[in-house]
Amino acid sequence: MRKTRVLIVDDSPFSQAVLQKTLPDSAFEICGLASNGQEGIGKYFVLKPEVVIMDITMPDMDGLECSRQILLRDPAARIVILSSMKDEALTTRARLLGIRWFLQKPATREDLVTMIKMAISRIAPDWWPPYLEQLRLSFEEFLNKSLEPEICTFSAVKSSPPSLDSHGICAIIGITGAHTGRVILDTSHETATAFAAVLLGRPSTPEEALGCLAEMANIVCGRGISRANRISKGLDLRITPASLLEGKKLMISNLPNHYMLAVKADTPIGTFLMSMEITEE
Amino acid sequence: MDARFINPVIDAFREILPQLGLTDIQKGKLSVGTNAVESLGVTVIIGLTKEIRGNVAYNMSEQTAIDIASTMMGGMTINQFDDLPQSAISELVNMVTANAAIRFEQMGIKVDISPPSLIVGTDFRTRLLHEKFLVIEMLADGHLIQLNLGMESV
């Protein structure tokens, strides 16, 4: 397996040393070290790492400015902020730049690996319409927000079987407009029931679990598609109401001639799968 | 649910299925379903937006799906309900619903439809827009296809 290449931008030799000692293993390698913002930008475009671990306080420019300059030239850059400072003003600034992976020092290796994997899983295949990234972000935001402070791990599902084998219950939402398609949100009864209980703050009934999944699909798709419409004018994408399916065994056939991307969310209460299928034009 | 939604769907079914080789089309029972559509084996769902929002679930047994797909493909022998017959049934649902959408448009009601989702399995059910929905039983060459309409005007 090819290792994930990580560039570290941090002015502290101590921090650099700690990361060099803890991070590399069979999955990760450190491809470069930079001690200030300018050096970080230079090395990013020479080394082209998959992920940057970025400190904030540095002598020539802060890590967010350095990230901004990298993202300006490479909007696909994946940057994880690792800083001793973490407050709302900083996380908001980071989010406005499109950076959502923010860790406070000292971070455990496990936290760092989780964060790097989250950043990586967002690397969309070349063909994927960029605006649909909004759907995926919306899914991740919804789960993260609903379950915080618990950590959810997101990963792209690579294989594409001819049909989706449901875990027990799923919501299907259709997409109409310049691109047609659908979104499937799938999980088990147990996970849906646990999730409804988290949102309600009390034990939930199976009926409430179904309602919760339908509402989750509606919010995730509604927000994602609204943002997509704002980003790409003229798409006029709309969502249909959710159809809810439940049963012992059910398989949903893939849509022919549609692109598909599936994201799996591993959460403390169980696994959710979101599958998105869309026509090219 | 608005009674105006019923006829365009039935008329679309009557117009499209003969074009696919199914000659004898009969309307069966009309009823109100509650809670969920119990699958007969194969359920195809299509979503609606714009001035009508909701969902329609076409429901049939796997044998019916195989027989209809076989007729659509000129009498080809089909042993298994795999990719080819599945795409034939999805296409049938897409054509009927698109035709119904055109009929709504002629009535001055704009409707957009999503691609059809085909689901196969055992012991599963589908919940539509509301707890109550309309069930129309249609017979095509003696094969039962149940149309479940969960629709509302916007």
Side-chain angles (χ1 to χ4, degrees):
Chain A
M1 193 178 77
R2 205 173 63 83
K3 293 184 181 186
T4 298
R5 299 168 65 249
V6 181
L7 169 68
I8 293 165
V9 185
D10 196 316
D11 66 331
S12 152
F14 175 73
S15 282
Q16 288 187 2
V18 170
L19 287 166
Q20 272 180 302
K21 185 171 178 295
T22 54
L23 190 62
D25 68 355
S26 58
F28 299 101
E29 66 174 319
I30 291 170
C31 66
L33 296 166
S35 301
N36 59 56
Q38 211 55 53
E39 195 185 349
I41 297 164
K43 286 201 170 167
Y44 179 84
F45 289 100
V46 172
L47 299 169
K48 297 188 169 55
E50 271 116 345
V51 178
V52 182
I53 295 179
M54 179 78 71
D55 182 23
I56 290 196
T57 316
M58 289 189 293
D60 57 339
M61 65 177 86
D62 78 18
L64 292 175
E65 173 57 22
C66 177
S67 301
R68 191 185 70 80
Q69 293 194 30
I70 289 174
L71 288 163
L72 207 61
R73 285 165 60 190
D74 180 9
R78 295 301 188 254
I79 300 170
V80 173
I81 303 287
L82 179 63
S83 162
S84 53
M85 294 277 292
K86 185 184 180 188
D87 56 37
E88 203 172 326
L90 285 174
T91 52
T92 304
R93 260 183 77 200
R95 212 170 38 239
L96 288 172
L97 290 172
I99 302 168
R100 298 180 56 253
W101 308 285
F102 205 125
L103 270 180
Q104 192 162 21
K105 289 178 186 172
T108 64
R109 182 178 192 278
E110 199 186 345
D111 285 345
L112 196 57
V113 166
T114 303
M115 215 44 114
I116 291 173
K117 282 184 178 167
M118 280 175 69
I120 290 169
S121 73
R122 252 160 251 192
I123 298 174
D126 292 341
W127 50 259
W128 190 247
Y131 60 83
L132 273 180
E133 201 54 17
Q134 301 306 321
L135 259 180
R136 171 150 60 164
L137 286 177
S138 177
F139 173 61
E140 297 180 2
E141 277 170 12
F142 186 85
L143 279 176
N144 276 332
K145 208 171 160 188
S146 305
L147 296 171
E148 71 184 356
E150 304 282 358
I151 298 276
C152 304
T153 316
F154 299 93
S155 50
V157 179
K158 291 268 162 36
S159 66
S160 168
S163 63
L164 188 151
D165 217 339
S166 174
H167 291 86
I169 67 174
C170 65
I172 301 181
I173 284 198
I175 299 171
T176 67
H179 301 259
T180 62
R182 73 166 176 218
V183 174
I184 303 173
L185 198 60
D186 187 78
T187 191
S188 66
H189 279 102
E190 295 74 27
T191 302
T193 306
F195 192 54
V198 170
L199 297 186
L200 292 168
R202 59 164 171 78
S204 70
T205 64
E207 197 66 25
E208 285 171 334
L210 278 170
C212 168
L213 190 72
E215 192 51 17
M216 175 181 175
N218 192 37
I219 292 172
V220 166
C221 294
R223 288 177 67 96
I225 292 293
S226 303
R227 286 194 212 154
N229 282 332
R230 280 202 292 274
I231 291 170
S232 306
K233 301 282 178 224
L235 289 174
D236 194 24
L237 301 179
R238 291 185 186 223
I239 57 168
T240 71
S243 302
L244 272 176
L245 286 149
E246 56 161 336
K248 276 197 186 132
K249 186 170 169 59
L250 59 107
M251 282 162 298
I252 306 159
S253 300
N254 290 351
L255 295 175
N257 308 317
H258 280 59
Y259 290 127
M260 184 171 95
L261 184 72
V263 184
K264 192 172 77 145
D266 289 307
T267 80
I269 54 163
T271 300
F272 290 89
L273 183 82
M274 182 162 90
S275 154
M276 298 168 274
E277 288 159 278
I278 194 93
T279 50
E280 193 172 14
E281 41 185 283
Chain B
M1 197 176 77
D2 197 327
R4 288 182 306 160
F5 297 157
I6 302 169
N7 282 336
V9 177
I10 294 174
D11 292 343
F13 194 92
R14 283 190 194 281
E15 183 180 332
I16 296 297
L17 268 75
Q19 293 174 17
L20 302 173
L22 293 126
T23 48
D24 181 23
I25 310 298
Q26 304 286 336
K27 182 164 82 83
K29 246 182 15 193
L30 199 75
S31 60
V32 174
T34 49
N35 205 16
V37 179
E38 278 300 328
S39 181
L40 299 168
V42 177
T43 300
V44 190
I45 299 166
I46 212 159
L48 306 152
T49 54
K50 288 207 170 163
E51 288 171 18
I52 296 177
R53 62 190 289 278
N55 25 37
V56 181
Y58 294 69
N59 195 9
M60 67 197 88
S61 70
E62 196 167 304
Q63 192 55 53
T64 290
I66 287 175
D67 292 345
I68 289 177
S70 166
T71 305
M72 285 173 71
M73 292 188 280
M76 198 174 114
T77 307
I78 297 171
N79 298 317
Q80 256 197 322
F81 191 55
D82 54 17
D83 289 359
L84 198 60
Q86 283 187 17
S87 89
I89 295 299
S90 290
E91 191 49 30
L92 178 152
V93 167
N94 197 35
M95 286 167 78
V96 171
T97 318
N99 187 285
I102 292 167
R103 290 168 188 275
F104 285 125
E105 195 107 17
Q106 286 163 353
M107 292 160 64
I109 308 169
K110 286 200 178 74
V111 183
D112 259 0
I113 63 169
S114 76
S117 290
L118 185 140
I119 304 111
V120 290
T122 44
D123 193 11
F124 71 96
R125 57 211 65 83
T126 309
R127 284 162 195 256
L128 302 178
L129 181 66
H130 295 304
E131 206 192 336
K132 286 200 170 152
F133 51 90
L134 199 76
V135 187
I136 309 168
E137 292 190 348
M138 297 296 292
L139 292 164
D141 289 354
H143 300 295
L144 172 70
I145 302 181
Q146 194 190 59
L147 277 55
N148 302 273
L149 317 183
M151 293 152 76
E152 68 181 12
S153 299
V154 177

